[in-house]
């Protein structure tokens, strides 16, 4: 679903990142995606063994191929600010049509947004102790809360009805004072059913 998205959405822009581990520019197979890990600093990790990126992936290569009837809308230039966020959201939705029940999508988006904020800024990490260790919670956040912004987000299936991924595009200023936008992070979820009720659980990075 997401491989075409990566090509169509971010393959047309440069994603310059100030951190040494990430590539300086976006290519069809590599998206610079510095992401604060449990050590609370941006990192660039490789894709998973199945070819899909994890939440810490520097290469955002979605795992499934969406049906596309028209080219995705053009993205705004870097630095466009809030005014450009709608275009990013429309590009995501055009490249990857909705495929989850509305209630599941709302739940996944709310949790995915909260997880990204916790990961990037340190806010409310204690809500997910299995994702953010005690040592990670105590470290300084990698990004300033006041300059953190989620530009767009979608939640879609990840190969089966009981797996999903929340794909987020965001902007932030790191501890070095460098602000960059069009960052990409994926959070992966699995659904478990207990007494007929399904619950989406975010997956650990390891």
């Amino acid at each position: 679903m997401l491989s075409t998205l990566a090509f169509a959405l971010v393959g047309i822009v440069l994603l310059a990142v100030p951190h040494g581990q990430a590539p300086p520019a976006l290519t069809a197979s590599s998206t610079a995606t510095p992401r604060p890990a449990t050590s609370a600093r941006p990192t660039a990790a490789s894709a998973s063994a199945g070819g899909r990126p994890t939440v810490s992936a520097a290469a955002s290569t979605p795992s499934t191929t969406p049906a596309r009837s028209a080219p995705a809308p053009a993205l705004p230039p870097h630095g466009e600010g809030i005014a450009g966020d709608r275009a990013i959201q429309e590009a995501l939705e055009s490249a990857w049509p909705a495929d989850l029940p509305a209630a599941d999508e709302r739940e996944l988006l709310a949790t995915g947004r909260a997880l990204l904020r916790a990961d990037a800024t340190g806010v409310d990490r204690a809500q997910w102790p299995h994702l953010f260790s005690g040592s990670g919670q105590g470290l300084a956040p990698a990004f300033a809360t006041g300059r953190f912004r989620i530009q767009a987000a979608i939640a879609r299936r990840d190969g089966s009805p009981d797996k999903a991924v929340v794909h987020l595009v965001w902007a932030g200023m790191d501890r070095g004072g460098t602000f960059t936008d069009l960052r990409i992070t994926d959070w992966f979820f699995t659904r478990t059913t207990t007494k007929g009720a399904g619950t989406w659980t975010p997956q650990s990075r390891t």
Side-chain angles (χ1 to χ4, degrees), residues 71-114:
L75 291 179
H78 280 286
E80 182 73 7
I82 296 176
D85 291 354
R86 178 181 292 273
I88 301 171
Q89 183 68 40
E90 291 175 351
L92 284 174
E93 293 174 352
S94 175
W96 197 9
D99 58 6
L100 285 165
D104 286 341
E105 186 173 2
R106 286 192 298 269
E107 177 185 347
L108 287 162
L109 283 173
T111 305
R113 287 172 176 270

XYZ file of all heavy atoms in Angstrom, residues 71-114:
317
model
N -3.092 11.079 -10.777
C -1.860 11.464 -10.096
C -2.159 12.125 -8.762
O -3.174 12.811 -8.604
C -1.213 12.455 -11.081
C -1.841 12.147 -12.405
C -3.231 11.684 -12.098
N -1.287 11.890 -7.785
C -1.464 12.522 -6.486
C -1.261 14.021 -6.605
O -0.470 14.496 -7.429
C -0.455 11.939 -5.486
N -1.972 14.804 -5.791
C -1.790 16.251 -5.827
C -0.353 16.636 -5.517
O 0.345 15.935 -4.789
C -2.745 16.742 -4.728
C -3.732 15.633 -4.546
C -2.980 14.371 -4.827
N 0.065 17.760 -6.071
C 1.423 18.238 -5.831
C 1.571 18.675 -4.386
O 0.644 19.202 -3.773
C 1.742 19.399 -6.771
N 2.763 18.444 -3.835
C 3.029 18.846 -2.465
C 3.481 20.298 -2.414
O 4.064 20.816 -3.374
C 4.126 17.962 -1.873
C 3.761 16.502 -1.615
C 4.963 15.782 -1.053
C 2.589 16.409 -0.679
N 3.233 20.955 -1.291
C 3.737 22.324 -1.131
C 5.245 22.299 -0.939
O 5.810 21.280 -0.556
C 3.021 22.799 0.139
C 2.789 21.548 0.915
C 2.482 20.498 -0.124
N 5.918 23.417 -1.188
C 7.367 23.464 -0.971
C 7.704 23.431 0.510
O 6.854 23.720 1.363
C 7.765 24.802 -1.601
C 6.526 25.642 -1.501
C 5.377 24.689 -1.687
N 8.951 23.087 0.819
C 9.411 23.143 2.200
C 9.209 24.552 2.742
O 9.396 25.542 2.039
C 10.900 22.794 2.278
C 11.171 21.321 2.238
N 10.918 20.482 3.299
C 11.675 20.534 1.258
C 11.270 19.249 2.989
N 11.723 19.250 1.751
N 8.834 24.632 4.015
C 8.682 25.930 4.647
C 7.358 26.609 4.380
O 7.161 27.753 4.792
N 6.438 25.929 3.735
C 5.148 26.535 3.417
C 4.343 26.838 4.670
O 3.519 27.748 4.689
C 4.359 25.593 2.498
C 3.007 26.125 2.060
C 3.110 27.233 1.026
O 4.237 27.501 0.552
O 2.076 27.820 0.693
N 4.570 26.063 5.734
C 3.861 26.294 6.976
C 2.496 25.636 6.985
O 2.175 24.783 6.161
N 1.662 26.071 7.932
C 0.348 25.460 8.104
C -0.478 25.532 6.832
O -1.286 24.648 6.550
C -0.385 26.136 9.278
C 0.358 25.880 10.596
C -1.825 25.630 9.392
C -0.230 26.590 11.791
N -0.290 26.565 6.039
C -1.068 26.727 4.815
C -0.888 25.557 3.849
O -1.766 25.279 3.039
C -0.688 28.034 4.124
N 0.240 24.869 3.938
C 0.492 23.768 3.024
C 0.042 22.405 3.531
O 0.084 21.426 2.791
N -0.418 22.342 4.789
C -0.754 21.047 5.378
C -1.936 20.370 4.684
O -1.960 19.143 4.538
C -1.055 21.210 6.868
C 0.188 21.573 7.679
O 1.295 21.580 7.104
O 0.036 21.842 8.886
N -2.913 21.151 4.253
C -4.076 20.554 3.596
C -3.664 19.818 2.326
O -4.165 18.724 2.030
C -5.112 21.631 3.259
C -6.338 21.075 2.524
C -7.326 22.176 2.189
N -7.928 22.709 3.383
C -9.016 22.199 3.967
N -9.574 21.095 3.460
N -9.533 22.743 5.034
N -2.733 20.401 1.569
C -2.283 19.751 0.335
C -1.588 18.428 0.633
O -1.726 17.456 -0.121
C -1.347 20.687 -0.438
N -0.837 18.371 1.726
C -0.173 17.127 2.104
C -1.203 16.072 2.472
O -1.105 14.909 2.063
C 0.800 17.366 3.272
C 1.848 18.409 2.893
C 1.471 16.063 3.685
C 2.710 18.852 4.052
N -2.209 16.470 3.256
C -3.257 15.536 3.634
C -3.988 15.005 2.402
O -4.247 13.802 2.278
C -4.257 16.222 4.575
C -5.359 15.309 5.089
C -4.839 14.248 6.038
O -3.969 14.508 6.874
N -5.390 13.042 5.955
N -4.304 15.881 1.470
C -5.005 15.459 0.252
C -4.146 14.519 -0.585
O -4.656 13.574 -1.200
C -5.413 16.693 -0.556
C -6.508 17.512 0.104
C -6.810 18.793 -0.658
O -6.034 19.120 -1.608
O -7.796 19.471 -0.317
N -2.830 14.771 -0.607
C -1.937 13.895 -1.362
C -1.900 12.500 -0.755
O -1.919 11.493 -1.473
C -0.530 14.495 -1.406
N -1.855 12.421 0.577
C -1.880 11.120 1.241
C -3.174 10.373 0.924
O -3.155 9.186 0.576
C -1.758 11.305 2.746
C -0.379 11.631 3.330
C -0.508 11.910 4.815
C 0.595 10.501 3.097
N -4.288 11.044 1.069
C -5.581 10.390 0.856
C -5.777 9.981 -0.593
O -6.404 8.959 -0.883
C -6.695 11.332 1.312
C -6.694 11.576 2.818
C -7.697 12.626 3.251
O -8.298 13.275 2.354
O -7.882 12.815 4.462
N -5.253 10.774 -1.523
C -5.374 10.435 -2.938
C -4.519 9.228 -3.292
O -4.933 8.349 -4.052
C -4.951 11.635 -3.795
O -4.941 11.299 -5.161
N -3.310 9.168 -2.735
C -2.402 8.072 -3.057
C -2.803 6.769 -2.381
O -2.499 5.695 -2.889
C -0.975 8.455 -2.646
N -3.492 6.846 -1.241
C -3.812 5.657 -0.469
C -5.240 5.746 0.048
O -5.490 6.220 1.140
C -2.831 5.529 0.682
C -2.781 4.184 1.320
C -3.374 3.036 0.904
C -2.081 3.861 2.520
N -3.103 2.008 1.755
C -2.297 2.484 2.763
C -1.289 4.581 3.401
C -1.754 1.831 3.861
C -0.742 3.934 4.488
C -0.972 2.570 4.719
N -6.229 5.302 -0.733
C -7.639 5.419 -0.349
C -7.959 4.696 0.961
O -7.335 3.702 1.314
C -8.378 4.766 -1.532
C -7.424 4.880 -2.677
C -6.065 4.726 -2.084
N -8.943 5.197 1.661
C -9.348 4.637 2.943
C -9.782 3.180 2.791
O -10.449 2.815 1.818
C -10.482 5.456 3.540
N -9.398 2.344 3.755
C -9.758 0.925 3.709
C -10.067 0.353 5.084
O -10.125 -0.863 5.268
C -8.643 0.114 3.045
C -7.299 0.251 3.762
O -7.244 0.889 4.834
O -6.291 -0.276 3.245
N -10.278 1.219 6.064
C -10.616 0.785 7.415
C -11.991 1.314 7.816
O -12.420 2.369 7.329
C -9.587 1.320 8.421
C -8.217 0.650 8.461
C -7.237 1.523 9.225
C -8.312 -0.730 9.101
N -12.708 0.612 8.695
C -13.941 1.177 9.248
C -13.650 2.535 9.896
O -12.578 2.742 10.470
C -14.369 0.134 10.291
C -13.742 -1.138 9.832
C -12.427 -0.745 9.216
N -14.619 3.434 9.817
C -14.400 4.795 10.302
C -13.994 4.824 11.777
O -13.118 5.607 12.175
C -15.658 5.632 10.081
N -14.608 3.984 12.599
C -14.281 3.976 14.027
C -12.840 3.532 14.262
O -12.124 4.111 15.096
C -15.247 3.064 14.788
N -12.392 2.507 13.531
C -11.010 2.049 13.657
C -10.043 3.134 13.204
O -9.003 3.360 13.835
C -10.791 0.791 12.831
C -11.432 -0.442 13.451
O -11.736 -0.409 14.659
O -11.647 -1.431 12.731
N -10.381 3.789 12.112
C -9.494 4.834 11.605
C -9.344 5.970 12.613
O -8.238 6.465 12.861
C -10.029 5.368 10.278
C -9.096 6.367 9.605
C -9.558 6.761 8.223
O -10.636 6.285 7.793
O -8.850 7.545 7.566
N -10.448 6.377 13.226
C -10.382 7.455 14.222
C -9.523 7.043 15.416
O -8.705 7.831 15.907
C -11.789 7.834 14.693
C -12.597 8.618 13.678
C -13.844 9.208 14.323
N -14.746 8.177 14.836
C -15.727 7.641 14.135
N -15.922 8.033 12.880
N -16.508 6.720 14.658
N -9.710 5.809 15.885
C -8.927 5.339 17.025
C -7.436 5.289 16.698
O -6.588 5.737 17.485
C -9.405 3.949 17.448
C -8.601 3.347 18.594
C -9.009 1.915 18.920
O -10.056 1.463 18.439
O -8.253 1.245 19.665
N -7.110 4.754 15.540
C -5.712 4.630 15.139
C -5.063 5.998 14.955
O -3.914 6.215 15.375
C -5.616 3.817 13.856
C -5.861 2.314 14.009
C -6.167 1.687 12.657
C -4.647 1.643 14.640
N -5.782 6.919 14.342
C -5.221 8.253 14.130
C -4.967 8.967 15.453
O -3.915 9.595 15.644
C -6.152 9.090 13.254
C -6.137 8.781 11.768
C -7.227 9.558 11.043
C -4.768 9.095 11.154
N -5.921 8.870 16.375
C -5.741 9.525 17.668
C -4.538 8.954 18.407
O -3.713 9.699 18.963
C -7.010 9.378 18.506
N -4.423 7.623 18.406
C -3.299 7.000 19.104
C -1.990 7.273 18.383
O -0.969 7.564 19.024
C -3.528 5.485 19.228
O -4.782 5.237 19.860
C -2.415 4.844 20.051
N -1.990 7.192 17.065
C -0.769 7.444 16.311
C -0.241 8.846 16.513
O 0.966 9.064 16.670
N -1.139 9.814 16.511
C -0.724 11.205 16.739
C -0.133 11.381 18.145
O 0.897 12.036 18.329
C -1.921 12.144 16.556
C -2.360 12.333 15.112
C -3.659 13.127 15.030
N -4.052 13.396 13.666
C -3.692 14.466 12.971
N -2.923 15.375 13.546
N -4.094 14.653 11.728
N -0.789 10.787 19.136
C -0.302 10.898 20.510
C 1.052 10.215 20.675
O 1.947 10.728 21.370
C -1.324 10.296 21.471
